[in-house]
């Protein structure tokens, strides 16, 4: 797997994507004749995906049959020979890959025709809400300058290890910056804890919903209200009933299934769990919302709903920071994309400049400047 | 795995499990009545015996109510309760010569300090709760031996005023309407306040989140360390109250005054439906658990089971109840092993 790691390191000390590679190596060690892979690339960077595909090609040549479960259409078109589409627990169709188009697959998956994968409704972009100057956290990122405007969706793109999540954690108040300043609506952000940042209007949706985002043993409504407990409290007395209208509204807005607020979150599907997590942060009515991989491991129907919700949030005046490894998502949603590499912002790209190829090149170091003659 | 398989959480299932606990308590009462009817034991249903049960339940219950907050926060139990009880009893008797109220206050302050220490080390440095509180238990034991040179002390030994001694005696012996002792009143008050705080205050709700998933709670902007500290303070506070009651009962400051109460409290808490994993359960359930333990102890004594055999029975119950709870914890990946 070309992993440059000490074999004695405990799993919990390595990053999520490295852990996934270990998982894959473990399975391959059994010399299977049929291999079932369930969303194996959701936490991998492009280079790691390439390595995996090379391995898959190798396995195919050795005669191993592979069932590859994914909702990443580009991947499917690259490595699959036949594709089976399932929806609502039923098989819709099986086709040889050469006889079906991307749009047809999406249509079968979603059950309705999707003219454009991302609709772009007009959004007016206002003045600067979040101004970051010279922000550094030694060892993670340096000299970050950033401006996020009202109504804007600002993407942050980079390879794994570029420092995106570390930056997000500092902007959310979870970690301290060593240098630099953060200003919200013209005023410096006070305090040093996440609670204080949250109170001033900065919310952060974590990339790991199962252990950091949701309390999976608790009910949906308890999770949705978990970030706004103080707002529902009067004189130390907490009233869940006061939060019920918001919970019902968000369940409806995000089409969370089943629409039962007392349902234990651990029993929901991945897509619905992610919607509950998003609902929690929408309930905090943030001025700035930082999203870290908001559609990782999420089925396409939920993805569309979440994207629509993000756009609606931006339209209502929130500044959205979108950290994502999903290039089509960045291309489709963002007004601008900041490219992060090895702890620095190396480039800013406007919507018109963004395509999957250009983003990927930029993340790998292409600064868009012509080579010196 | 029952936690993961539960589809619905919320007040309904809590009511049902609490009702179940009281159902079991009633069953034990029926067992006692049956044994009395068949002549195996005498006087189970007599008013005096009922009072005995109530008095015993009150002491365990007071400790259990406070410890519930520690369990609810996902930190299992506080094993420093026995020596906290003994130590604060000693201190109160020692300070009685300065008056009853000052003595009471100093004892309560010492209790709070122990709770703060536990809460700080466990909350901030994430020490293992059982290991740390066990260590505190032993250190406190050492302090008792050191300060009072292995001797027990009596209220009238230190030149304390007659009034102070009388008030101290009254902690355990005061009876309202010749029936209801102060510990019972304290228990009822603590249960009512505790149930309210756990279910209806922002502190209780945040504690539920902390107990269900500490990382998720932290990343929701909740000050988890503060909540953990407060739960250990509450636990030490109720231990102090119970310690004063036990010391008043025995009229002597002794290191063994609180012996066994950590055990009894944890059993009561877990029988009462509060899982060791945290974030689940009610104070009313814990009260029911205390009732069951009190009734069971009483029946065993009436039947004539010797102390050591009773210990075996209590130990067996502890292993079964707490052990199966820990097993489901392991399946959830939270056994701290």
């Amino acid at each position: 797997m070309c992993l440059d790691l000490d074999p004695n390191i405990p799993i919990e000390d390595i990053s999520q994507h490295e852990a996934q590679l270990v998982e894959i190596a473990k399975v391959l060690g059994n010399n299977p004749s049929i291999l079932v892979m369930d969303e194996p690339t959701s936490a991998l960077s492009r280079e790691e995906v390439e390595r995996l595909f090379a391995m898959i090609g190798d396995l195919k040549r050795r005669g191993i049959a592979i069932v590859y479960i994914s909702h990443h259409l580009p991947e499917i078109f690259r490595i699959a020979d036949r594709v089976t589409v399932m929806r609502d627990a039923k098989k819709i169709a099986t086709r040889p890959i050469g006889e079906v188009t991307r749009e047809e697959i999406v249509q079968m998956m979603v059950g309705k025709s999707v003219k454009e994968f991302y609709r772009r409704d007009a959004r007016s972009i206002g003045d600067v809400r979040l101004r970051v100057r010279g922000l550094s956290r030694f060892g993670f990122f340096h000299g970050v300058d950033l401006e996020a405007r009202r109504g804007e969706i600002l993407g942050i793109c980079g390879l794994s290890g570029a420092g995106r999540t570390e930056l997000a954690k500092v902007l959310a108040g979870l970690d301290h910056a060593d240098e630099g300043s953060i200003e919200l609506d013209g005023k410096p952000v006070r305090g040093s804890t996440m609670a204080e940042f949250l109170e001033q209007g900065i919310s952060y949706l974590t990339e790991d919903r199962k252990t950091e985002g949701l309390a999976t043993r608790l009910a949906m409504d308890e999770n949705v209200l978990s970030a706004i407990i103080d707002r529902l409290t009067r004189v130390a007395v907490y009233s869940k009933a006061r939060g019920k209208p918001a919970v019902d509204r968000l369940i409806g807005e995000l089409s969370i299934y089943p629409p039962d607020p007392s349902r234990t979150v651990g029993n929901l599907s991945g897509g619905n769990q992610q919607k509950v997590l998003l609902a929690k942060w929408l309930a905090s009515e943030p001025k700035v919302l930082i999203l870290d991989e908001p559609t990782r491991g999420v089925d396409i129907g939920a993805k569309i709903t979440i994207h629509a919700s993000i756009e609606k949030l931006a339209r209502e005046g929130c500044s959205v920071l979108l950290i994502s490894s999903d290039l089509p998502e960045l291309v489709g949603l963002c007004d601008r994309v900041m490219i992060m590499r090895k702890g620095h912002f190396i480039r800013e790209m406007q919507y018109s400049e963004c395509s999957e190829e250009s983003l990927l090149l930029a993340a790998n170091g292409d600064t868009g400047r012509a080579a010196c003659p | 795995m029952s936690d993961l398989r539960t589809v619905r959480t919320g007040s309904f299932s809590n009511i049902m499990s609490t009702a179940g606990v009281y159902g079991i308590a009633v069953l034990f009462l029926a067992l006692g009545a049956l044994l009395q009817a068949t002549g195996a034991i005498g006087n189970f249903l007599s008013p005096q015996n009922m009072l005995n049960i109530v008095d015993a339940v009150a002491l365990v219950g007071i400790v259990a109510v406070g410890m519930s907050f520690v369990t609810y926060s996902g930190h299992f139990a506080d094993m420093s309760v026995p020596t906290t009880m003994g130590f604060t009893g000693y201190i109160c008797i020692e300070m009685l010569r300065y008056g009853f109220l000052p003595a009471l206050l100093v004892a309560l302050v010492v209790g709070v300090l122990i709770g703060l220490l536990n809460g700080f080390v466990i909350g901030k440095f994430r020490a293992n709760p059982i290991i740390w509180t066990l260590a505190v238990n032993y250190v406190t034991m050492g302090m008792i031996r050191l300060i009072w040179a292995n001797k027990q002390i009596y209220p009238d030994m230190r030149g304390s005023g007659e009034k102070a001694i009388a008030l101290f005696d009254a902690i355990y012996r005061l009876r309202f309407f010749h029936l209801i002792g102060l510990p019972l009143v304290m228990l009822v008050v603590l249960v009512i306040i505790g149930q309210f705080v756990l279910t209806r205050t922002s502190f209780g709700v945040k504690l539920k989140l902390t107990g269900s998933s500490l990382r998720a709670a932290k990343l929701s902007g909740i000050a988890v360390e503060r909540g953990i500290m407060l739960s250990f303070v509450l636990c030490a506070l109720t231990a102090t109250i119970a310690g004063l009651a036990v010391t008043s009962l025995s009229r002597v400051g002794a290191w063994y005054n609180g012996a066994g109460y950590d055990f009894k409290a944890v059993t009561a808490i877990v029988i009462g439906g509060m899982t060791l994993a945290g974030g689940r359960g009610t104070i009313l359930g814990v009260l029911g658990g205390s009732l069951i333990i009190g009734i069971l102890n009483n029946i065993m004594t009436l039947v004539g089971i010797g102390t050591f055999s009773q210990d075996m029975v209590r130990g067996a119950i502890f292993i079964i109840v707490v052990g199966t709870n820990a097993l489901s914890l392991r399946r959830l990946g939270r056994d701290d092993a």
Side-chain angles (χ1 to χ4, degrees):
Chain A
M1 307 293 309
C2 304
L3 265 177
D4 185 16
L5 283 176
D6 174 4
N8 288 318
I9 298 183
I11 291 285
E12 62 184 0
D13 286 343
I14 63 179
S15 70
Q16 231 200 340
H17 69 266
E18 284 169 328
Q20 206 175 48
L21 290 173
V22 172
E23 230 184 314
I24 293 171
K26 172 176 105 180
V27 170
L28 289 178
N30 282 328
N31 275 325
S33 45
I34 301 177
L35 182 60
V36 180
M37 304 180 88
D38 197 342
E39 307 279 4
T41 62
S42 61
L44 299 183
S45 71
R46 269 297 174 101
E47 356 163 278
E48 287 147 357
V49 169
E50 292 302 318
R51 260 182 250 144
L52 180 67
F53 285 176
M55 209 158 301
I56 289 179
D58 207 35
L59 294 174
K60 279 168 74 170
R61 275 185 293 274
R62 279 198 254 159
I64 295 176
I66 299 181
V67 178
Y68 189 91
I69 302 170
S70 172
H71 53 258
H72 264 246
L73 300 182
E75 287 179 3
I76 294 173
F77 276 92
R78 261 201 65 181
I79 58 169
D81 301 300
R82 290 182 303 145
V83 60
T84 298
V85 178
M86 290 183 71
R87 187 180 80 236
D88 292 339
K90 291 192 285 280
K91 178 183 124 164
I92 306 294
T94 303
R95 300 276 173 77
I97 203 71
E99 294 174 20
V100 70
T101 67
R102 190 188 284 217
E103 288 73 30
E104 284 173 339
I105 292 187
V106 172
Q107 191 165 338
M108 285 191 276
M109 285 173 80
V110 177
K112 44 185 184 260
S113 138
V114 179
K115 284 244 155 54
E116 247 178 55
F117 198 72
Y118 293 94
R119 291 177 11 249
R120 302 226 25 131
D121 293 332
R123 239 183 305 120
S124 61
I125 295 183
D127 48 345
V128 174
R129 279 207 104 155
L130 183 71
R131 183 174 272 123
V132 175
R133 285 260 176 283
L135 202 67
S136 301
R137 185 161 180 237
F138 299 147
F140 295 100
F141 57 87
H142 305 266
V144 165
D145 290 330
L146 188 154
E147 277 179 7
R149 293 167 180 272
R150 194 180 292 265
E152 180 176 41
I153 300 178
L154 177 63
I156 299 181
C157 168
L159 305 175
S160 56
R164 299 165 297 160
T165 296
E166 289 70 26
L167 173 64
K169 285 193 166 154
V170 171
L171 291 175
L174 274 166
D175 291 325
H176 295 164
D178 296 310
E179 277 176 0
S181 66
I182 305 175
E183 260 181 33
L184 180 63
D185 286 343
K187 292 187 293 256
V189 176
R190 291 170 285 104
S192 56
T193 62
M194 190 198 182
E196 289 165 301
F197 277 56
L198 182 56
E199 217 182 318
Q200 289 167 75
I202 302 180
S203 296
Y204 172 48
L205 187 147
T206 55
E207 60 173 329
D208 183 355
R209 64 170 168 268
K210 285 223 166 69
T211 61
E212 293 184 332
L214 298 168
T216 50
R217 285 195 283 134
L218 293 184
M220 208 189 286
D221 52 6
E222 289 170 314
N223 272 283
V224 171
L225 299 174
S226 59
I228 54 170
I229 292 172
D230 286 326
R231 294 185 209 173
L232 300 172
T233 304
R234 303 266 181 284
V235 198
V237 176
Y238 170 79
S239 164
K240 191 199 266 195
R242 218 174 274 138
K244 183 163 161 48
V247 172
D248 290 335
R249 175 179 51 91
L250 286 162
I251 290 181
E253 184 185 307
L254 292 168
S255 308
I256 298 179
Y257 184 83
D260 174 11
S262 63
R263 184 68 62 115
T264 307
V265 161
N267 290 327
L268 301 174
S269 70
N272 280 304
Q273 282 182 353
Q274 192 69 13
K275 288 184 200 174
V276 172
L277 186 56
L278 181 62
K280 165 173 161 174
W281 295 112
L282 291 177
S284 68
E285 293 173 347
K287 300 183 181 164
V288 174
L289 178 59
I290 306 168
L291 299 168
D292 204 339
E293 307 287 356
T295 59
R296 171 181 286 167
V298 160
D299 62 276
I300 198 163
K303 203 172 199 172
I304 293 178
T305 312
I306 291 175
H307 286 162
S309 187
I310 295 174
E311 283 223 301
K312 174 168 176 280
L313 187 67
R315 219 175 309 130
E316 287 166 357
C318 178
S319 287
V320 178
L321 265 62
L322 176 62
I323 300 172
S324 179
S325 317
D326 186 338
L327 298 177
E329 179 172 74
L330 287 169
V331 171
L333 276 181
C334 300
D335 302 296
R336 284 183 301 144
V337 178
M338 308 285 295
I339 312 292
M340 200 164 181
R341 184 174 156 76
K342 296 205 177 129
H344 293 92
F345 272 166
I346 59 171
R347 191 172 166 190
E348 176 187 311
M349 294 171 70
Q350 302 299 320
Y351 170 65
S352 51
E353 295 174 85
C354 290
S355 69
E356 284 186 53
E357 290 73 32
S358 64
L359 281 179
L360 184 58
L361 283 168
N364 275 295
D366 175 13
T367 55
R369 285 191 274 270
C372 297
Chain B
M1 280 284 255
S2 62
D3 285 281
L4 281 181
R5 273 205 286 264
T6 313
V7 173
R8 276 168 201 283
T9 63
S11 42
F12 183 70
S13 66
N14 267 337
I15 292 174
M16 288 316 290
S17 70
T18 308
V21 173
Y22 284 94
I24 297 178
V26 167
L27 252 133
F28 271 100
L29 272 175
L31 174 66
L34 190 67
L35 285 170
Q36 178 174 352
T38 60
I41 60 176
N43 279 337
F44 177 72
L45 292 171
S46 69
Q48 182 57 46
N49 193 47
M50 287 291 130
L51 263 171
N52 287 342
I53 294 181
V54 162
D55 284 339
V57 167
L59 291 173
V60 174
I62 290 174
V63 175
V65 167
M67 201 185 286
S68 304
F69 286 89
V70 169
T71 311
Y72 199 62
S73 74
H75 292 83
F76 311 119
D78 182 350
M79 307 307 274
S80 65
V81 156
T83 49
T84 303
M85 290 172 73
F87 191 52
T88 50
Y90 257 109
I91 293 211
C92 190
I93 291 186
E94 190 69 54
M95 294 283 135
L96 265 181
R97 59 189 126 130
Y98 298 113
F100 176 67
L101 258 131
L104 196 66
L105 241 73
V106 173
L108 286 168
V109 165
V110 168
V112 167
L113 286 173
I114 296 179
L116 276 172
L117 174 68
N118 287 333
F120 183 70
V121 171
I122 293 172
K124 195 110 192 148
F125 301 120
R126 305 304 304 149
N128 182 301
I130 303 290
I131 304 274
W132 171 258
T133 51
L134 265 176
V136 169
N137 200 47
Y138 275 99
V139 168
T140 312
M141 176 87 79
M143 279 208 296
I144 292 176
R145 297 261 163 101
L146 196 67
I147 298 178
W148 288 286
N150 263 327
K151 292 199 189 63
Q152 301 172 340
I153 60 175
Y154 302 87
D156 44 356
M157 259 173 70
R158 288 284 193 271
S160 322
E162 297 250 331
K163 186 155 184 234
I165 297 179
L167 280 168
F168 185 72
D169 271 352
I171 292 178
Y172 193 77
R173 286 172 191 74
L174 177 67
R175 299 258 154 198
F176 302 97
F177 313 113
H178 299 287
L179 259 167
I180 305 172
L182 193 57
L184 177 61
V185 172
M186 287 253 57
L187 175 68
V188 171
V189 167
L190 283 171
V191 165
I192 293 175
I193 297 180
Q195 177 75 0
F196 181 77
V197 167
L198 203 75
T199 52
R200 306 269 281 135
T201 61
S202 63
F203 164 62
V205 173
K206 289 180 183 176
L207 208 66
K208 186 175 194 183
L209 259 145
T210 306
S212 304
S213 169
L214 193 115
R215 289 178 75 178
K218 230 183 189 164
L219 285 154
S220 308
I222 292 175
V224 292
E225 286 152 20
R226 210 182 299 168
I228 293 169
M229 259 207 268
L230 191 50
S231 13
F232 276 96
V233 167
L234 288 171
C235 182
L237 213 53
T238 56
T240 307
I241 296 172
L244 292 174
V246 170
T247 311
S248 167
L249 162 65
S250 62
R251 273 213 187 108
V252 58
W255 65 267
Y256 52 75
N257 270 333
Y261 274 90
D262 50 350
F263 212 70
K264 293 184 197 157
V266 176
T267 315
I269 288 172
V270 177
I271 290 182
M274 202 171 266
T275 160
L276 284 176
R280 206 104 186 251
T282 63
I283 302 285
L284 288 176
V286 170
L287 176 62
S290 313
L291 263 167
I292 292 176
I293 292 205
I295 297 172
L296 180 66
N297 281 339
N298 184 267
I299 292 180
M300 283 200 292
T301 307
L302 284 177
V303 168
I305 299 181
T307 324
F308 294 130
S309 309
Q310 283 197 34
D311 281 339
M312 275 174 58
V313 173
R314 277 194 285 265
I317 294 180
F318 183 84
I319 291 174
I320 295 172
V321 170
V322 177
T324 47
N325 209 266
L327 243 139
S328 62
L329 250 186
R330 180 165 300 168
R331 292 215 196 92
L332 287 169
R334 285 211 59 227
D335 60 347
D336 238 42

